[in-house]
Amino acid sequence: MKFSGNDVRSHSFSSKMRGYDRLEVDAFLFKVADWLDQSVRKNEQLSLQCKDLFEQYNNLREEHANLQKILISVNELRDQATAKSGELVEKAETDAEVLIKGAEAEADRIRGKAEKDIEKLREEKESLTERRDKLLKEMYETFLSQIRTLETEGVRMGVDLVRLLEEESEEAPDEESENVIKLNQKAEGDAS
């Protein structure tokens, strides 16, 4: 299942009596959404870089094929030159060897550079994967910590509410609206 930053930002949760602080949840979701958007952009950049490297690799393969064709053509010229004269054959061989060595050296240089670039991208990908996994682990631990804190606060508030409800039952019924206000004020004070 894929999520975008907008999916996280626009997601809403139902309200419960002892639910989470909506502002804190929204703020955290926006941070997660921003991180997710950055990760998607970085992944897209890396994909584009990979695509460029694969295009370069394919271009090198085409160049190599062209060099092979040139080599075949040179060999054909050499055979024709042999029929004409030994001197022309030696010159053609020398020229062909120089061309081939130069082309092979250039192909090796380009291939080596492409392999280094691919290795560098693999290392960057591994580094990003490790960073992503570390961030996910930290987010998970943060969520667990927040859940424990909220559970503790819920238990503490539940105990306070029970005490307030007992106090309310001991007072006269004509003070009911005043007790409700006190209960609300007490709950707001505990929430802050």
Side-chain angles (χ1 to χ4, degrees), residues 3-17:
F3 287 104
S4 70
N6 287 334
D7 293 334
V8 174
R9 284 186 198 94
S10 64
H11 189 76
S12 62
F13 299 92
S14 59
S15 296
K16 300 286 183 186
M17 181 158 193

Side-chain angles (χ1 to χ4, degrees), residues 4-5 11 20-21 28 44 68 75-76 83 89 95 106 113-115 117-119 121 130 132 137 167 169 173:
S4 70
H11 189 76
Y20 298 116
D21 181 350
F28 183 77
E44 289 171 352
Q68 291 291 353
N75 286 333
E76 289 174 357
V89 169
D95 290 345
E106 182 65 16
K113 183 182 181 305
E115 289 172 355
D117 289 345
I118 288 171
E119 184 61 31
L121 282 174
E130 289 174 8
R132 181 201 63 204
K137 182 179 178 184
E167 289 174 6
S169 66

Side-chain angles (χ1 to χ4, degrees), residues 33-76:
D34 290 342
W35 174 83
L36 183 61
D37 286 340
Q38 289 174 355
S39 296
V40 167
R41 282 192 297 272
K42 184 66 176 178
N43 191 25
E44 289 171 352
Q45 289 173 351
L46 290 174
S47 294
L48 289 174
Q49 288 176 352
C50 273
K51 183 179 177 184
D52 288 343
L53 286 174
F54 281 118
E55 287 176 5
Q56 289 176 13
Y57 175 74
N58 287 332
N59 289 338
L60 288 174
R61 288 181 62 190
E62 289 177 13
E63 286 181 29
H64 186 266
N66 289 336
L67 290 174
Q68 291 291 353
K69 290 178 184 176
I70 290 171
L71 181 59
I72 291 169
S73 296
V74 167
N75 286 333
E76 289 174 357

Side-chain angles (χ1 to χ4, degrees), residues 72-149:
I72 291 169
S73 296
V74 167
N75 286 333
E76 289 174 357
L77 288 173
R78 185 186 65 200
D79 291 342
Q80 291 172 3
T82 301
K84 290 182 180 179
S85 84
E87 186 178 316
L88 291 175
V89 169
E90 288 180 16
K91 184 178 181 337
E93 287 177 347
T94 304
D95 290 345
E97 287 176 10
V98 168
L99 284 173
I100 291 169
K101 286 180 182 177
E104 288 175 346
E106 182 65 16
D108 288 342
R109 184 189 67 78
I110 293 171
R111 188 179 303 114
K113 183 182 181 305
E115 289 172 355
K116 286 179 184 177
D117 289 345
I118 288 171
E119 184 61 31
K120 184 178 177 182
L121 282 174
R122 284 188 183 130
E123 291 172 3
E124 287 179 12
K125 179 186 173 195
E126 289 175 13
S127 172
L128 287 171
T129 300
E130 289 174 8
R131 284 177 56 200
R132 181 201 63 204
D133 292 343
K134 181 180 176 185
L135 284 172
L136 287 173
K137 182 179 178 184
E138 289 174 1
M139 286 172 48
Y140 176 75
E141 291 172 359
T142 301
F143 281 139
L144 286 179
S145 173
Q146 290 293 323
I147 288 170
R148 287 186 200 112
T149 301

